[in-house]
Amino acid sequence: MVTKKSELNITEDGNLKKAYQKYRILKQEVDHWQQERKSYWLGMLNLAEKPPYLPIMELPSEAIIELWQRLNDAAEVKISDSDLREIWKQISDNQEVMDEEMSTRFQMAISGVAQLASEMANEKKVPTQRLGDDPHECITCPVCGEVSTLAVLTPPNGQRMMHCTSCSFEWPVKRVGCLHCGSENAKKQMFLKNAAFPGIEMVVCQLCGHYFKEIDARELYVQDYMWEDIKSLPLNFATELWLSEQTKTNNQIH
Ligand SMILES: [Zn+2]
Ligand SMILES: [Zn+2]
């Protein structure tokens, strides 16, 4: 079987280094908070009987606000707890209420708390039930219920796991085929990569038009998947461009 591979064109992003410095500072705060507060908040978490074991919207809001406030302090942004509570309430009602930087800190606070739930799920060895036939279920995190677009091929045999960028939970999925539509038609799968991102491939399904990112952890050691996903966003943009050009070409043929 011949796998179809192609090189993506990537444009350099000069803002990345700056973004990383900001991210590192916030990430360190999350790590410290987790070390300090983990045992307390773990005692407050309850996992459901079946997936999703602890959806994002059911995480204790006080834990999120506590961590969020630490991140705001680290970024030297002053805002009261009651204002954050108000924002959290509006988010529950699906309102866009934050600027980009506040939103980043909020996302990191959510992740920081959701990771505790994920750790708990791992400790309890909860069944992941994600090897079924429903493709959408396969890519939905059994712990937090968010859809993941990041797959990891794990050592030593390259077993394919989904990695949740919200809570860090990992669960096994089938080794081949499209994770979105379930198609195993190898002729319709395209593997796009770029030399600037060794060990990462974008797996594009030409049947359903979706793609996911796949990191080969046998080739690329990743300490922080959230950052690796952000850092390799140029691959996502390039893939979307590639897909739209494909659609144009296909339309011209027909
Ligand atoms: Zn998750
Ligand atoms: Zn597909």
Side-chain angles (χ1 to χ4, degrees), residues 56 114 118 141-146 164-169 171:
I56 299 280
S118 161
C141 175
V143 175
C144 72
E146 297 295 302
C164 176
T165 44
S166 298
C167 75
S168 301
F169 193 73
W171 64 100

Side-chain angles (χ1 to χ4, degrees), residues 42 44-55 58-59 114 116-126 142-144 169:
L42 276 179
M44 304 292 201
L45 301 182
N46 287 309
L47 301 184
E49 296 275 305
K50 53 180 180 37
Y53 294 108
L54 190 47
E58 287 172 28
L59 290 170
L116 300 183
S118 161
E119 220 176 289
M120 198 173 191
N122 272 324
E123 270 165 28
K124 293 195 167 172
K125 296 193 169 47
V126 294
V143 175
C144 72
F169 193 73

Side-chain angles (χ1 to χ4, degrees), residues 213-228:
K213 188 178 285 174
E214 188 161 78
I215 296 181
D216 192 339
R218 296 166 300 178
E219 208 182 304
L220 174 70
Y221 171 71
V222 178
Q223 206 187 2
D224 181 344
Y225 277 98
M226 193 197 268
W227 177 251
E228 198 61 45

Side-chain angles (χ1 to χ4, degrees), residues 20 23 33 46 48 61 63 78 97 101-102 109 120 140 158 164 202 207-208 216 234:
Y20 183 61
Y23 174 84
W33 177 84
N46 287 309
S61 57
K78 295 266 166 277
V97 284
E101 299 227 332
M102 184 58 119
M120 198 173 191
T140 305
C164 176
M202 303 303 281
L207 277 178
C208 69
D216 192 339

